[in-house]
Each structure stands twice: as C-alpha cells, then as structure tokens.
Amino acid sequence: MYKQKLDPIKLSLIDRAITLAPEIKSSADLGACWGVDGGYSRYVLEEHKLEKAVIVDQHITSATQEWTSHQPKAKPVTGLFGTDSTLEKVGDVDVVFFFDVLLHQVAPDWNEVLKMWAPKTKYFLIHNPMWTVGSETLRFPDYGFEWFKANVVYQHEGRLKEWFANLDKFDLEQNKPLKDVHNFWQFGITHQDMITTLDRLGFDCVFSKYLKSRSTKPWIKNYGYLFKKR
Ligand SMILES: C[S@@+](CC[C@H](N)C(=O)[O-])C[C@H]1O[C@@H](n2cnc3c(N)ncnc32)[C@H](O)[C@@H]1O
C-alpha cells in the first residue's frame, strides 16, 4: 500500500545501488517525508533488509510517525539537515539518500551539505533534477520572477509571486531569509558540477543515469547517481 506513493524510478535506483553495494546495511534519507511519509526508508527495511533506516525531515509527517512506531529499525529525526545537531542525531550510516532535495539547499548550499555529510557515509544515492543549459550551476531566484517562471518548474504561480515579493523577510523556523528557504527550487546544478563536487569530496561515481526530462521544462532533466567513497 505505502509503495503507491513512491516513484518506481527511485525504487529502481535503490535496487540498483544495493545490488552493486550489498555491504550497505544502514541508510539516512534526508528530506524523507513530504508526499511519501518516509516510504523509501520503509522500502529498504522491508525489501532489502537493511538493519537501520534514519528518516530526516524538518517535518516528520504523522503517517511516518505511525509506521515507524512499529518498526524498531526505523529512526525518525526531526531537524534541518544542514545543522550539526541533525548530523549528530543521525550518526554514521552506510548510505545517505538525497531524493529531490539538493536543488533546494541554500545556506548551507547543496555542495556544502554534501561536504557536511561526506564524513558520515560511504555512499551517496542522489536523485536530482539537473540543469542542462550551459555549463554553469545557477542560483534560480537571482534571475527574477519572470525568468524563473519561464525557465524553472514551480507548483503554484501565486505562491511563487509571493515568495519573490518577500525574499528579504526572515523565516524563523529555518532561521534564514525567505530567499534561502528549501520550499522552492533554488539551484540548477549541472551534471559536471555534481561529478566534480563529489570527486573533490573523495567520492567516485559508480553510476550516473539520465532518467527523464521534465515535461513543461525539458531542459531540466532528472538524473540518478550512486557515489562511493574512495
Ligand atoms: C521535494 S520533497 C522530497 C520528498 C522525497 N525525498 C521524495 O523524493 O519524494 C522535499 C522534502 O525535504 C524536506 N527538506 C528539504 N530541505 C530540508 C532541510 N534542509 N532540512 C530538513 N528537511 C528538508 C522537506 O520538508 C520535504 O519533506
């Protein structure tokens, strides 16, 4: 039942990663809850028999709380994953999942978040919409509302407009200006930048795979990656 909410492409990524790296016994899924209630962690426990799955999110949903309360191998952690206290609560794991979250990370930025988590893990499994126009990684809100609307994926125009009108206001919960919150698309990361960033952190790319283009903005292409610490 819970699997109905999960993306089969992400499940295939998990399957492929664990087939290639059967030594993986524990995971941390960063940004695990919205829309999926920690389901990818449940999948690795039930289908791949991992020994521990840590579920990290700013908001642990009630459905996540419900199933994890019956599953002693699951550990929900409420927190922002760019903070030292969250890193401490999670501890060391074999693999860290970043599924559709790196593009949202600012202060610390996506590459700084990877740097923070690199000492904690042997593998990174990443699913991310990648920017394929030019060779530079872009910070989307720097280009203004109209450009964003024309070039980036967004859910709701009214919400986007309100965000742009209030970029300098402060978000107390995330402790940063609204411009930097993780609720909007922040970075267009290029494939080359992803590979180079992980290489500098001491991680080799085991596989990278083009998965699909976004229907309304086909220059944004979902990719999956498995990186292994050297
Ligand atoms: C786009 S959803 C992705 C959900 C899921 N990983 C998936 O692939 O379907 C982003 C989730 O990550 C959480 N999130 C994003 N950035 C975060 C951060 N820095 N700290 C804690 N949670 C974060 C949000 O609360 C939300 O639950």
Side-chain angles (χ1 to χ4, degrees):
M1 195 59 176
Y2 76 95
K3 280 190 211 160
Q4 283 171 3
K5 292 184 188 166
L6 306 180
D7 177 354
I9 292 180
K10 290 176 189 162
L11 295 180
S12 300
L13 272 185
I14 291 175
D15 295 343
R16 186 165 173 206
I18 294 180
T19 304
L20 288 168
E23 69 274 23
I24 290 176
K25 296 291 173 222
S26 57
S27 62
D29 185 1
L30 304 191
C33 284
W34 187 83
V36 290
D37 302 318
Y40 297 106
S41 296
R42 187 162 177 183
Y43 180 77
V44 294
L45 290 174
E46 293 185 7
E47 305 294 329
H48 289 288
K49 309 295 174 213
L50 262 59
E51 290 159 10
K52 180 171 87 163
V54 190
I55 293 150
V56 183
D57 209 293
Q58 183 186 3
H59 300 292
I60 300 290
T61 52
S62 51
T64 308
Q65 264 152 6
E66 217 292 305
W67 76 262
T68 55
S69 67
H70 311 294
Q71 172 48 278
K73 293 176 181 167
K75 180 180 169 187
V77 169
T78 303
L80 294 167
F81 50 74
T83 60
D84 291 336
S85 65
T86 302
L87 273 108
E88 270 163 40
K89 281 184 214 159
V90 174
D92 291 350
V93 289
D94 295 329
V95 63
V96 172
F97 301 154
F98 287 103
F99 289 172
D100 293 342
V101 288
L102 282 178
L103 76 159
H104 296 294
Q105 303 310 311
V106 180
D109 291 358
W110 66 278
N111 49 351
E112 295 163 335
V113 170
L114 285 166
K115 188 175 179 185
M116 290 173 86
W117 286 90
K120 295 279 180 191
T121 189
K122 298 173 194 145
Y123 289 91
F124 285 119
L125 186 63
I126 295 171
H127 181 281
N128 198 70
M130 306 303 288
W131 182 247
T132 65
V133 186
S135 54
E136 306 271 303
T137 290
L138 302 186
R139 177 78 197 281
F140 291 140
D142 289 346
Y143 294 84
F145 173 68
E146 291 300 337
W147 184 94
F148 192 112
K149 224 171 61 151
N151 289 283
V152 184
V153 176
Y154 59 93
Q155 261 82 46
H156 189 275
E157 185 173 339
R159 234 182 111 228
L160 187 69
K161 206 171 199 169
E162 201 185 324
W163 181 49
F164 269 95
N166 293 289
L167 292 178
D168 294 333
K169 293 213 173 119
F170 201 76
D171 184 284
L172 285 174
E173 212 184 335
Q174 292 185 40
N175 195 31
K176 50 178 74 158
L178 269 186
K179 187 179 180 192
D180 297 347
V181 297
H182 62 67
N183 311 68
F184 294 88
W185 286 42
Q186 293 280 7
F187 276 107
I189 304 166
T190 65
H191 173 74
Q192 195 49 53
D193 202 3
M194 183 72 87
I195 301 284
T196 308
T197 297
L198 270 300
D199 181 56
R200 287 202 188 111
L201 294 175
F203 284 74
D204 289 328
C205 187
V206 180
F207 69 73
S208 76
K209 192 169 174 2
Y210 160 74
L211 299 165
K212 71 167 187 189
S213 299
R214 306 298 290 232
S215 57
T216 54
K217 311 278 161 70
W219 49 91
I220 296 178
K221 299 182 194 297
N222 288 355
Y223 273 71
Y225 301 89
L226 179 67
F227 291 95
K228 179 181 186 186
K229 194 180 265 170
R230 289 193 279 278

